[in-house]
Amino acid sequence: MNQQLTTENASHYNNLEKMSTQELLYNINTEDKMVPNAIEKALPKIEKLVDVVYEKMKNGGRLFYLGAGTSGRLGVLDASELPPTYGVSKELVIALIAGGDTALRNAVENEEDNTEKAWLDMQEHLISDKDAVIGIAASGTTPYVIGGVKKAKENNIVTGCITCNKNSPLAANVAYPVEVVVGPEFVTGSTRMKAGTAQKLILNMISTSLMIKMGKVKGNKMINMQLSNKKLVKRGVKMLMDELHIEKEEAQKLLMEHQSVKKAITFFKG
């Protein structure tokens, strides 16, 4: 396989320590602007991945994210925000990171080099061919992730990936690869920067599109969100006022009675 690790190429900038704060911020921002354009080129591949995962989800399947380091943390972040935002089970999208929860805050040495562990982690959640797996790795070379998608593919499970290098081992081992080449990082090799931003934006696209297609949004509103704090209760009241054309007091009463924007709308419309 002929792979060029552009994520490891030398930065376009040098002598960073000699730059003023203004220069640092301007140059980082200049590099960041490249990310959306790189993602735009990959939209057809992202579309295919979303559609195949949706087919699994609407038939009762789940989505697994696999990652290590920054990539793993981004997967965990995306998955953890879906239950409160869209009122779905925490088992619908399951994010696994090399090293487990400890790795969310600390580096866990050598865990990402274990090619067998991801499959063992997925088996703990009783993964099956009803589900789908997306490997997340900026380099596309992370053994934990590659080992996981390989075993998933061998077991007839839909596989995809998000990577920031072309022709990676990870992409070669999935059915639906998404490759977004954002180029060298401002700090050479620091893939938490542009590569991480690209991965975060793509995860936003995938999970948000899936939740909308699964009926968790009405119009443009999160009608299934959990009312877990005052801000969200206030947002729920505003949703009911806008959707049902009722006054604030009536909206508050409805929301408190049904504890769900969606249920309140359904009850009101009878």
Side-chain angles (χ1 to χ4, degrees):
M1 179 178 297
N2 180 23
Q3 186 193 12
Q4 181 183 7
L5 291 175
T6 56
T7 53
E8 298 299 321
N9 284 355
S11 171
H12 294 136
Y13 306 83
N14 206 346
N15 300 315
L16 307 188
E17 71 278 11
K18 296 180 181 179
M19 291 182 183
S20 68
T21 302
Q22 182 184 53
E23 289 172 321
L24 288 169
L25 298 180
Y26 179 86
N27 291 331
I28 291 171
N29 182 241
T30 297
E31 289 298 303
D32 286 345
K33 289 175 183 177
M34 298 172 64
V35 175
N37 290 334
I39 292 175
E40 184 177 9
K41 295 174 185 176
L43 288 178
K45 295 290 185 70
I46 300 171
E47 178 185 358
K48 289 180 180 178
L49 182 54
V50 168
D51 285 343
V52 73
V53 174
Y54 171 62
E55 288 300 316
K56 292 294 182 179
M57 271 193 178
K58 75 177 185 180
N59 289 303
R62 300 164 295 169
L63 173 59
F64 286 78
Y65 291 146
L66 301 179
T70 297
S71 300
R73 294 181 190 106
L74 289 169
V76 171
L77 174 63
D78 191 74
S80 66
E81 291 180 338
L82 299 181
T85 306
Y86 297 106
V88 297
S89 166
K90 64 180 181 179
E91 296 297 316
L92 183 63
V93 179
I94 298 169
L96 301 174
I97 180 172
D101 285 354
T102 302
L104 294 175
R105 291 182 178 272
N106 303 282
V108 180
E109 300 299 333
N110 302 320
E111 284 295 316
E112 70 175 59
D113 296 328
N114 188 328
T115 59
E116 308 296 327
K117 189 63 168 64
W119 181 244
L120 295 175
D121 290 343
M122 287 187 282
Q123 285 182 304
E124 289 184 10
H125 294 272
L126 304 177
I127 191 170
S128 75
D129 59 8
K130 290 176 60 178
D131 303 318
V133 177
I134 297 177
I136 314 167
S139 67
T141 62
T142 308
Y144 175 87
V145 180
I146 295 169
V149 298
K150 270 187 177 180
K151 289 294 292 185
K153 196 173 181 182
E154 288 170 11
N155 285 272
N156 299 313
I157 297 167
V158 165
T159 54
C161 75
I162 304 169
T163 181
C164 295
N165 281 314
K166 283 284 189 184
N167 303 317
S168 69
L170 176 57
N173 282 284
V174 303
Y176 298 90
V178 174
E179 299 169 306
V180 177
V181 180
V182 295
E185 297 289 359
F186 180 70
V187 176
T188 299
S190 181
T191 52
R192 74 184 190 91
M193 299 185 76
K194 287 192 298 183
T197 300
Q199 291 172 325
K200 171 59 175 164
L201 291 176
I202 295 167
L203 288 168
N204 285 350
M205 288 178 166
I206 291 171
S207 59
T208 303
S209 297
L210 288 170
M211 293 301 101
I212 293 169
K213 291 169 76 67
M214 290 291 288
K216 304 304 179 182
V217 170
K218 179 175 175 57
N220 57 19
K221 297 180 175 63
M222 304 176 288
I223 59 170
N224 284 276
M225 67 181 183
Q226 295 175 1
L227 304 174
S228 55
N229 57 49
K230 291 180 179 179
K231 178 189 75 173
L232 296 180
V233 170
K234 184 177 179 180
R235 184 180 295 166
V237 170
K238 181 69 164 55
M239 286 184 192
L240 291 178
M241 291 171 64
D242 292 344
E243 178 69 22
L244 303 176
H245 307 292
I246 58 178
E247 296 299 320
K248 181 178 180 180
E249 291 73 18
E250 186 176 2
Q252 287 174 327
K253 182 179 178 182
L254 268 176
L255 190 61
M256 292 304 99
E257 182 179 351
H258 298 283
Q259 290 296 304
S260 161
V261 174
K262 185 175 183 179
K263 288 179 181 177
I265 291 172
T266 301
F267 174 83
F268 188 88
K269 293 187 173 181

